[in-house]
Amino acid sequence: MARLTIPRQELMHSGHAGCPGCGAALAMRYLLKGLGSNILIALPACCWTVIGTPFPTSVLDVGILDTAFETTGAAMSGLRAAADALKIEGVTVVGWAGDGGTVDIGIQALSGMLERRTDGIYVMYDNEAYMNTGIQRSGATPEGAWTTTTPVGARSRGKSEPKKDIMGIVAAHYPAYAATLNVAFPEDFLKKVQKARDIPGPRFLHVLAPCPPGWKYPPEKTIALGRLATDANVFPLYEIEGGKYRITRKLGAAKPVAEYLKLQGRFVHMRPEEVAETQTQVDARWKRLVALEAL
């Protein structure tokens, strides 16, 4: 990667409506620092329409197109076509959507954008549920997690299905660039954003954005929890370029997954055997990722 430069300019201002400790607010700030002001953002229904752009105000000094929940990828293609037709030079088209609006409601439009080879950066900030509407489960919610639609009780042990592998789905479209990012690792975050900015073609960034009310943890623990997610191999940091995988953070020995789970109220119900099964699944996914890097 190129040498990291951190712009001093702030394109996101104070006064947003995000919750204390909001990972999605940090993610937007880092993204704008990495991309600069010459961008157009397609912003669908999600937490961020409430956090930063309630009409007629905005905390962002960039162009925003508020769009429908399912249309982020299509709106990106439209913005790109308009910018090209108007001969607007150097503008970066960005899609900014949550996990529900990407892996579920917006996955068709995302697939179309990638298949059309739209020159733009799709960013999915992943707080692992539909947080804006009341913490309902999404396809990105981890197995075992409590949400308001996957309750814990006599008949339910939280979400019974595994988290959807959106990076695997994106990789099958042969993007120009794809990467995972984590707000707890800002240097890695900014390097990948700046790298994506300078690569033409369809690009995808999957950002882990911890959510205090949805994950049930104290807001001051956002960075510590984010670091644990990566250091326990629950959310590895890697990039895909030209079909080649490269892991950007490795530890000699990963932290136990139990350390990550125990900090979150959404997993407090898990039995020891369920935690052990989660560890087995995480180990298997990490082994597969290491094998992909070695290819």
Side-chain angles (χ1 to χ4, degrees):
M1 287 187 180
R3 178 181 172 85
L4 176 64
T5 58
I6 303 177
R8 297 181 63 85
Q9 183 183 21
E10 293 287 354
L11 296 169
M12 174 180 158
H13 301 290
S14 60
H16 66 73
C19 299
C22 175
L26 283 173
M28 178 65 85
R29 182 183 177 215
Y30 296 166
L31 179 79
L32 297 184
K33 274 191 169 290
L35 293 181
S37 60
N38 194 16
I39 65 174
L40 296 171
I41 299 181
L43 182 70
C46 62
C47 285
W48 246 95
T49 57
V50 176
I51 290 171
T53 63
F55 183 82
T57 65
S58 176
V59 298
L60 305 178
D61 280 343
V62 295
I64 299 287
L65 173 66
D66 278 315
T67 188
F69 218 148
E70 70 277 15
T71 63
T72 307
M76 287 177 65
S77 295
L79 287 173
R80 181 77 271 161
D84 291 347
L86 294 170
K87 300 188 185 321
I88 300 174
E89 299 291 336
V91 67
T92 301
V93 170
V94 177
W96 174 272
D99 50 283
T102 301
V103 307
D104 299 332
I105 296 172
I107 197 166
Q108 180 177 356
L110 168 63
S111 177
M113 183 278 290
L114 294 167
E115 190 270 337
R116 285 189 296 273
R117 315 307 292 169
T118 296
D119 184 9
I121 303 173
Y122 192 115
V123 184
M124 175 181 123
Y125 70 93
D126 188 2
N127 49 30
E128 298 190 327
Y130 290 89
M131 299 305 184
N132 185 38
T133 54
I135 319 176
Q136 298 89 359
R137 62 88 85 194
S138 79
T141 303
E143 185 174 358
W146 167 92
T147 70
T148 55
T149 51
T150 55
V152 176
R155 299 184 180 182
S156 174
R157 298 293 301 167
K159 184 169 178 263
S160 57
E161 304 84 10
K163 182 182 177 81
K164 194 178 292 187
D165 181 10
I166 189 61
M167 284 292 284
I169 293 169
V170 168
H173 290 75
Y174 304 103
Y177 182 73
T180 60
L181 299 81
N182 184 336
V183 296
F185 297 92
E187 295 89 352
D188 180 83
F189 192 115
L190 282 168
K191 284 180 181 178
K192 288 172 176 171
V193 169
Q194 291 174 354
K195 184 173 184 177
R197 178 193 60 196
D198 298 332
I199 296 174
R203 292 145 281 169
F204 182 83
L205 303 178
H206 180 186
V207 181
L208 185 68
C211 173
W215 296 13
K216 294 188 171 183
Y217 69 87
E220 67 272 15
K221 298 294 186 181
T222 290
I223 299 303
L225 191 56
R227 292 188 71 87
L228 264 176
T230 291
D231 289 347
N233 292 339
V234 174
F235 190 86
L237 293 178
Y238 63 97
E239 60 184 4
I240 308 170
E241 186 176 8
K244 296 181 179 180
Y245 286 70
R246 188 175 79 88
I247 300 170
T248 59
R249 181 172 173 83
K250 290 181 181 178
L251 294 182
K255 300 287 183 67
V257 172
E259 289 189 23
Y260 173 71
L261 299 177
K262 72 181 181 181
L263 293 180
Q264 304 169 66
R266 61 177 178 159
F267 295 118
V268 72
H269 60 280
M270 292 183 71
R271 304 185 183 105
E273 60 269 24
E274 293 170 327
V275 174
E277 175 58 27
T278 300
Q279 180 72 67
T280 298
Q281 293 172 8
V282 168
D283 290 345
R285 289 194 292 268
W286 174 256
K287 184 177 180 180
R288 179 177 180 273
L289 178 60
V290 170
L292 286 169
E293 184 186 44
L295 286 175

